[in-house]
Amino acid sequence: MAGEPANYVARLSEWADAHLSLLRNISTGMAIAGVILFAKSVKLTTKFTHALDIPVEFIEKNVKLRGRFRQITEQGLEIEHVPIVLPIISSLQRRRPSNGLLLIRLAGVELTPDGIVWLKEEMKPSQMTWFQLLGRKDSALDCLVVVNKGRFSSFCLNEEILRRGLGKVVRVEGLPHQSRIYWKLHKRLLQAELKAVKKNKGIWKEETFTEKLRELISSNKYLHKLKQFATWLRIRF
């Protein structure tokens, strides 16, 4: 009788050895199922086509999303969201057409007309970007946008605009003023703007005396009328 438990253990061990591949497949299957459930629960593989589709938790936690730049409009950047791709999950998901674009505004930055022109020239279609969610208002997202310039280089679009004097620092919408991230971001943006001020770039460029005099003359209606009278005299005599 004392040897029966040992026999059971031995038999169980033999069965496990014989069916080791089956046990491994079961473990793998359970792990995959867990990954699928987790990914679906947090919408890791969901492609967002509208600002309102993004969960509130993503914005509250300032999640970073990946996307492809498509175009620039007067309202902001239009970016196609590129979700995380897991081959196993992607093959199990139903494929549905999703062609919508997310409207992204540069958080803390008021763009100038020259800034919009620069963006149209600088940003290339399908250029990969990362955008950190800071706030949402109606159908637009206020984000910190990072642009990939190659395999190992990137730059923050919000700061680059300010460094070139193509915009002004404004309130960062969506973030509480007392929060640490608000003041950290606001400080970064102010430092970028200060560089443009010191170098007289863009909107901070100071006019020379000649430019100011020329502008004064062109805007003075009396001098303009005098110039018209002098022209009339030349034609007349």
Side-chain angles (χ1 to χ4, degrees), residues 64-79:
K64 294 179 182 179
L65 299 177
R66 185 177 59 161
R68 289 190 183 92
F69 171 78
R70 291 307 182 193
Q71 64 178 347
I72 177 74
T73 67
E74 296 294 329
Q75 289 73 40
L77 287 76
E78 291 189 349
I79 294 177

Side-chain angles (χ1 to χ4, degrees), residues 9-225:
V9 171
R11 289 175 184 176
L12 181 60
S13 178
E14 290 176 2
W15 184 90
D17 289 338
H19 298 84
L20 186 58
S21 61
L22 175 62
L23 292 174
R24 285 176 177 173
N25 289 337
I26 292 174
S27 299
T28 303
M30 292 177 67
I32 292 173
V35 171
I36 292 173
L37 290 174
F38 175 74
K40 286 185 176 181
S41 66
V42 299
K43 295 190 175 183
L44 284 176
T45 59
T46 301
K47 181 175 181 179
F48 301 121
T49 58
H50 194 278
L52 297 177
D53 296 336
I54 298 176
V56 176
E57 293 80 8
F58 277 39
I59 298 174
E60 291 177 346
K61 294 179 180 179
N62 308 126
V63 172
K64 294 179 182 179
L65 299 177
R66 185 177 59 161
R68 289 190 183 92
F69 171 78
R70 291 307 182 193
Q71 64 178 347
I72 177 74
T73 67
E74 296 294 329
Q75 289 73 40
L77 287 76
E78 291 189 349
I79 294 177
E80 178 186 2
H81 174 225
V82 178
I84 294 175
V85 177
L86 299 176
I88 298 173
I89 296 177
S90 299
S91 62
L92 295 175
Q93 287 182 319
R94 290 180 298 174
R95 298 193 177 278
R96 294 178 296 177
S98 51
N99 301 320
L101 301 176
L102 298 175
L103 178 60
I104 307 293
R105 293 185 300 210
L106 298 178
V109 178
E110 181 183 329
L111 274 172
T112 64
D114 287 340
I116 295 175
V117 172
W118 181 83
L119 282 172
K120 289 180 178 180
E121 295 174 350
E122 178 69 18
M123 297 295 291
K124 304 296 186 292
S126 298
Q127 192 164 5
M128 293 304 298
T129 63
W130 285 90
F131 51 101
Q132 184 176 10
L133 303 171
L134 301 177
R136 174 172 57 193
K137 186 175 182 181
D138 301 327
S139 60
L141 297 164
D142 292 292
C143 302
L144 195 66
V145 180
V146 175
V147 179
N148 293 341
K149 292 293 289 183
R151 289 185 178 181
F152 307 106
S153 63
S154 61
F155 65 92
C156 175
L157 202 56
N158 307 55
E159 293 178 90
E160 188 65 22
I161 286 288
L162 295 171
R163 277 194 292 264
R164 293 174 176 270
L166 301 174
K168 291 182 178 181
V169 175
V170 294
R171 174 182 174 182
V172 181
E173 298 293 340
L175 291 177
H177 282 190
Q178 68 274 16
S179 66
R180 182 179 179 182
I181 187 174
Y182 177 90
W183 289 108
K184 184 178 179 180
L185 175 57
H186 196 62
K187 181 181 178 181
R188 283 176 56 184
L189 298 179
L190 286 174
Q191 288 175 338
E193 185 180 73
L194 185 60
K195 289 181 180 179
V197 174
K198 289 181 176 179
K199 295 181 179 180
N200 296 322
K201 286 189 173 183
I203 57 176
W204 309 109
K205 181 181 178 181
E206 294 184 1
E207 293 181 329
T208 64
F209 175 77
T210 304
E211 290 172 335
K212 289 181 179 179
L213 183 61
R214 188 182 298 116
E215 183 180 350
L216 180 63
I217 293 174
S218 62
S219 62
N220 194 308
K221 61 181 181 180
Y222 297 107
L223 289 175
H224 185 64
K225 287 185 178 296

